[in-house]
Amino acid sequence: MTATTGTFSLGDKSVEMPVKTGTIGPSVVDIGKLYGQTGMFTYDPGFTSTASCESQITYIDGDEGILLYRGYPIEQIAEKGDFLETCYLLLYGELPTRVQKSDFDYRITRHTMVHEQMARFFGGLRRDSHPMAVLCASVGALSAFYHDSTDITDPSQRMVASLRLIAKMPTLAAMAYKYSIGQPFMYPKNDLDYCSNFLRMCFAVPCEDYKINPILTRALDRIFILHADHEQNASTSTVRLAGSSGANPFACIAAGVACLWGPAHGGANEAALKMLLDIGTVENIPKYIARAKDKNDPFRLMGFGHRVYKNYDPRAKIMQRTCHEVLNELGLKDDPLLSVAIELERIALSDEYFIEKKLYPNIDFYSGITLKAMGFPLSMFTVLFAVARTSGWIAQWKEMIEDPGQKIGRPRQLYTGAARRDYRAIAER
Ligand code: SDX
């Protein structure tokens, strides 16, 4: 990183502030001393022009549709790597050697079981609870079981907690699904890879052997890679802010799960599929396009648009290809939902409104169709997003904790409420 100085005039004041330049991407103006020098704050609700931290993990160029994990293009990692290798890369910063990969896989595999008491924890919840509510609760509850890895000042405990979270999220996600359909929990099997293990925990029953489908395993692994990290998105920023207070990593990830649930963020895959089901047929598409353009209608095309990508989300292209692979493998290539999705995308990409506002399909547009074809109910889509994103959340949390300049996040505000006034007795109101 290099630094120069910028001079900024604010009314009758002129202030000098450092301008920092990273490896690639926009430079930043370090406004840390702005309030002290001018008595003013900056104002940027939604943080559209604000860098909250320095990071070396993920780089996005929204105009060019570029996504890099530790410098490696998402297209290459999705094609040539696997999800646990991606977790290692995000956590440690380099691709693992064969020995490092084998050791990491071994350690993750042997943390996949959860404390047996967790089974009773689920029992206290309603069967028809939304799996994201169950996941929020159960991830937070992990901190009640693993006190030996909550001291964030101890690097070894930080790493054990990171491994536990990456390893146990699939188990908790599968338990949330099994609980919602009244089937018994399936224990992880140490002789299976990460995604085969997860699919078996979700779809196997004790009454018969479960047949692994390598096409579906590979597809799910690629979906997890695509969802692993994405710079300082809403849920990652939530994890960083929670972690900045010293909260334990299990509590921080539970906060990330809660934020991801929103339909404008991770909940968009569930919302996008519900929208496709509501549209139902190609003939209905124009009506929904008109609603999306109507300023008086809150309806938005779920799975379209992005805060950063003002070009095609690079993950969406890979997701679209994976969707076709899965539907072909399952003999569903004529799925009417896919026909609606393809026609909706074609119309939207040629429509002036969407072109002018740079609204392209994002990763959530095709993921829902794929996950539904694999047998997951809509309510599990964001849960799977959370399973994958845990690797990015924990890598970003670790980077923040290990930053020597780290301090508690504490934004200020523009106050527009009542100025000081005296209390009036109720008789005088
Ligand atoms: C994810 O941040 C990340 O990296 C997130 C994520 C990750 O990996 O972590 O990529 C995952 O969350 C992907 C996004 C999933 N969300 C959706 O698909 C929900 C639908 N999309 C929109 O809600 C919206 O596009 C957002 C929330 C994603 C982005 O919103 P912004 O950047 O705040 O932009 P905006 O809402 O101000 O929209 C700009 C304009 C507006 O019109 P004007 O007010 O300027 O006239 O575009 C319009 C919006 O009305 N618009 C849409 C639209 N999205 C934006 N109009 C119709 N349909 C849409 N989907």
Side-chain angles (χ1 to χ4, degrees), residues 84-97:
L84 284 190
E85 181 183 66
T86 304
C87 294
Y88 185 100
L89 174 64
L90 294 173
L91 270 174
Y92 294 110
E94 296 298 335
L95 290 169
T97 63

Side-chain angles (χ1 to χ4, degrees), residues 86-406:
T86 304
C87 294
Y88 185 100
L89 174 64
L90 294 173
L91 270 174
Y92 294 110
E94 296 298 335
L95 290 169
T97 63
R98 198 181 302 280
V99 169
Q100 289 167 331
K101 176 71 167 61
S102 169
D103 171 62
F104 188 72
D105 288 3
Y106 179 89
R107 288 192 290 161
I108 291 290
T109 301
R110 276 151 189 81
H111 277 293
T112 46
M113 283 209 324
V114 293
H115 193 291
E116 195 61 15
Q117 292 285 103
M118 283 299 282
R120 291 175 53 193
F121 174 84
F122 280 76
L125 298 169
R126 287 171 50 132
R127 287 276 181 189
D128 60 352
S129 310
H130 192 291
M132 279 299 280
V134 178
L135 193 67
C136 273
S138 50
V139 173
L142 287 178
S143 46
F145 290 99
Y146 298 111
H147 297 288
D148 63 341
S149 62
T150 54
D151 175 0
I152 59 161
T153 62
D154 178 349
S156 63
Q157 290 195 34
R158 291 202 297 268
M159 192 39 69
V160 169
S162 303
L163 297 177
R164 279 175 163 156
L165 279 157
I166 292 171
K168 296 180 193 307
M169 283 298 269
T171 309
L172 292 177
M175 290 172 80
Y177 173 56
K178 284 301 198 186
Y179 188 72
S180 72
I181 58 174
Q183 287 188 358
F185 300 138
M186 299 298 292
Y187 286 95
K189 278 175 63 71
N190 289 350
D191 59 349
L192 294 178
D193 64 76
Y194 192 84
C195 286
S196 299
N197 219 349
F198 177 59
L199 287 170
R200 181 183 168 280
M201 286 191 283
C202 288
F203 298 121
V205 288
C207 328
E208 60 188 36
D209 291 340
Y210 176 75
K211 189 171 177 338
I212 304 290
N213 180 327
I215 303 284
L216 299 190
T217 293
R218 178 64 188 130
L220 186 63
D221 192 272
R222 191 183 298 142
I223 291 171
F224 281 178
I225 290 171
L226 296 177
H227 287 81
D229 194 51
H230 212 237
E231 201 212 59
Q232 306 310 320
N233 59 85
S235 53
T236 298
S237 300
T238 301
V239 170
R240 278 181 171 261
L241 197 55
S244 74
S245 75
N248 74 70
F250 303 102
C252 295
I253 300 303
V257 173
C259 178
L260 187 74
W261 195 358
H265 187 17
N269 51 20
E270 180 178 346
L273 198 86
K274 278 181 184 158
M275 176 191 72
L276 291 174
L277 289 166
D278 289 347
I279 293 174
T281 63
V282 168
E283 292 71 29
N284 285 338
I285 290 175
K287 182 171 61 174
Y288 284 83
I289 294 272
R291 284 191 58 196
K293 294 188 214 174
D294 178 356
K295 296 310 293 170
N296 301 315
D297 188 333
F299 172 78
R300 289 194 168 177
L301 281 185
M302 303 313 283
F304 278 79
H306 197 277
R307 168 58 57 79
V308 175
Y309 289 124
K310 301 309 173 189
N311 194 325
Y312 214 100
D313 181 339
R315 304 168 297 175
K317 286 195 181 98
I318 304 166
M319 196 62 246
Q320 185 188 53
R321 195 176 77 242
T322 304
C323 182
H324 284 284
E325 282 171 13
V326 167
L327 293 183
N328 286 336
E329 169 64 16
L330 298 174
L332 300 171
K333 64 183 183 329
D334 300 326
D335 184 331
L337 274 185
L338 182 64
S339 313
V340 172
I342 290 171
E343 181 60 8
L344 175 60
E345 181 184 28
R346 185 192 67 77
I347 294 174
L349 292 184
S350 58
D351 184 293
E352 199 42 50
Y353 175 90
F354 293 90
I355 293 168
E356 184 252 329
K357 293 186 186 297
K358 300 184 177 184
L359 299 173
Y360 293 87
N362 57 49
I363 189 166
D364 297 301
F365 187 63
Y366 282 102
S367 57
I369 302 170
T370 312
L371 297 175
K372 178 177 180 290
M374 293 174 88
F376 291 103
L378 270 66
S379 58
M380 278 294 288
F381 292 173
T382 312
V383 170
L384 271 70
F385 194 154
V387 170
R389 186 54 56 89
T390 294
S391 56
W393 286 333
I394 205 69
Q396 298 268 356
W397 169 82
K398 176 177 175 287
E399 182 180 67
M400 179 220 30
I401 292 288
E402 292 170 356
D403 175 355
Q406 188 271 327

